[in-house]
Amino acid sequence: MKVKYATIIVEDMAESTKFYTDVMGLKIDSQHNPYPGLTITLLKGEGDAMIELIKNTENETGLFSVGMEVEDINTTVKELKSKGAKITKEPMPITIGTLAFLEDPNGATIVLIQHH
């Protein structure tokens, strides 16, 4: 597993993007609008992991999750379940691959993603 994203739900995408680029020194990697009402901005610093800013009306503002990239999501979910992990959303297709959610002992959300 590779740490890929720290996802933050934002109130104001322009203000948040400006903070992470102008103040924190990150660069915009890409921006997406998968469907009306959802905007995603990926920001990159050093290394492979990125900050993922999401603007939508479905989630509370603040830290949302840590994203982990996996090679085979179904096998990974099966292994994690066998070790007692609490899977909160089974693997489901999205535009860029497949994702699943689990929860750590503190209630923090971890997203597993297998890219196409």
Side-chain angles (χ1 to χ4, degrees):
M1 267 187 245
K2 178 165 75 171
V3 175
K4 187 70 177 169
Y5 306 107
T7 301
I8 302 166
I9 306 299
V10 302
E11 185 80 26
D12 182 322
M13 183 61 80
E15 177 185 50
S16 297
T17 301
K18 185 174 172 46
F19 172 80
Y20 282 99
T21 55
D22 294 358
V23 177
M24 300 300 294
L26 301 179
K27 303 246 184 282
I28 294 173
D29 179 76
S30 59
Q31 294 179 302
H32 311 273
N33 295 95
Y35 57 83
L38 174 63
T39 306
I40 300 170
T41 300
L42 295 172
L43 300 138
K44 197 168 176 71
E46 294 179 30
D48 292 333
M50 290 190 257
I51 298 285
E52 177 183 41
L53 304 179
I54 295 180
K55 169 97 172 88
N56 67 17
T57 55
E58 299 165 27
N59 302 102
E60 232 177 271
T61 302
L63 181 64
F64 178 68
S65 66
V66 173
M68 309 287 284
E69 186 173 39
V70 298
E71 292 290 319
D72 181 338
I73 199 161
N74 293 312
T75 300
T76 302
V77 166
K78 222 177 278 182
E79 286 173 9
L80 292 170
K81 279 182 179 178
S82 76
K83 294 177 182 177
K86 181 181 176 185
I87 305 298
T88 56
K89 189 173 286 192
E90 292 290 331
M92 59 184 248
I94 57 170
T95 54
I96 59 169
T98 306
L99 62 74
F101 288 67
L102 66 139
E103 202 172 84
D104 85 349
N106 306 293
T109 300
I110 298 169
V111 177
L112 303 176
I113 186 162
Q114 176 185 330
H115 289 94
H116 290 300

